[in-house]
């Protein structure tokens, strides 16, 4: 039985909102992180990574002058590696459920992040992740793994998916 669920959808569809609603119900059973947009004049300016232990760091921003750029965003690899990867490692070691929001182009710029995602999926933990809709080769390979289930998030199903995700988690938690 698959123990990793990836919620896949286009940007802005509500994946993070869904994950945050699920996290609220899981209380202290989960560890990991979620991301939030940083908005400013003219729209999206960047992204903040927030751990389930309330550590927060700017992961990418239009004003960051870094060697790694994804689109118009400078990527803070140190933030991903030091805060995000550490949050995932701690979750694998201490919690029954690992939250990864999101597996996207910004996060995939970090080899350490990629390795930790593989470690989470290979662990005995339940993993709940969100992912970009793009067909990135690394993500496509991840989604084809036998322990991975993928559900698409749409405008129509995003609210009902909260209950379905919680049911998916509960069914697998009972068998552990």
């Amino acid at each position: 039985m698959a123990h990793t669920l990836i919620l896949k959808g286009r940007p802005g569809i509500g994946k993070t909102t869904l994950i945050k609603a699920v996290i609220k119900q899981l209380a202290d059973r989960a560890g990991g992180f979620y991301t939030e947009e940083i908005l400013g004049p003219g729209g999206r300016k960047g992204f903040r990574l927030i751990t389930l232990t309330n550590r927060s760091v700017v992961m990418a921003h239009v004003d960051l002058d870094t060697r790694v750029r994804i689109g118009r965003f400078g990527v803070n690899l140190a933030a991903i590696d030091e805060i995000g990867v550490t949050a995932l490692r701690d979750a694998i070691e201490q919690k029954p459920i690992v939250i990864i929001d999101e597996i996207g182009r910004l996060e995939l710029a970090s080899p350490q992040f990629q390795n930790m995602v593989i470690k989470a999926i290979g662990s005995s933990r339940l993993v709940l992740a969100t992912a970009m809709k793009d067909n990135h080769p690394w993500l496509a390979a991840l989604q084809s793994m036998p322990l991975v289930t993928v559900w698409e998030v749409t405008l129509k199903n995003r609210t009902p998916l909260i209950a379905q995700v919680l049911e998916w988690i509960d069914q697998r938690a009972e068998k552990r």
Side-chain angles (χ1 to χ4, degrees), residues 69-74 106:
R69 296 202 69 82
I70 306 291
R72 60 192 185 107
F73 301 106
L106 300 172

Side-chain angles (χ1 to χ4, degrees), residues 47-116:
F47 296 91
R48 184 177 320 283
L49 184 150
I50 303 164
T51 71
L52 272 60
T53 58
N54 290 316
R55 290 189 71 189
S56 175
V57 65
V58 174
M59 176 178 67
H61 200 277
V62 293
D63 295 334
L64 277 179
D65 185 18
T66 61
R67 64 177 176 79
V68 178
R69 296 202 69 82
I70 306 291
R72 60 192 185 107
F73 301 106
V75 180
N76 183 350
L77 283 180
I80 296 169
D81 292 345
E82 294 167 17
I83 308 299
V85 170
T86 299
L88 295 179
R89 182 180 304 113
D90 291 348
I92 293 166
E93 292 173 359
Q94 302 167 12
K95 302 290 183 175
I97 303 164
V98 179
I99 304 292
I100 309 170
D101 172 49
E102 146 164 11
I103 303 171
R105 291 195 183 281
L106 300 172
E107 296 85 356
L108 289 175
S110 164
Q112 288 185 47
F113 173 81
Q114 291 179 20
N115 290 337
M116 194 55 64

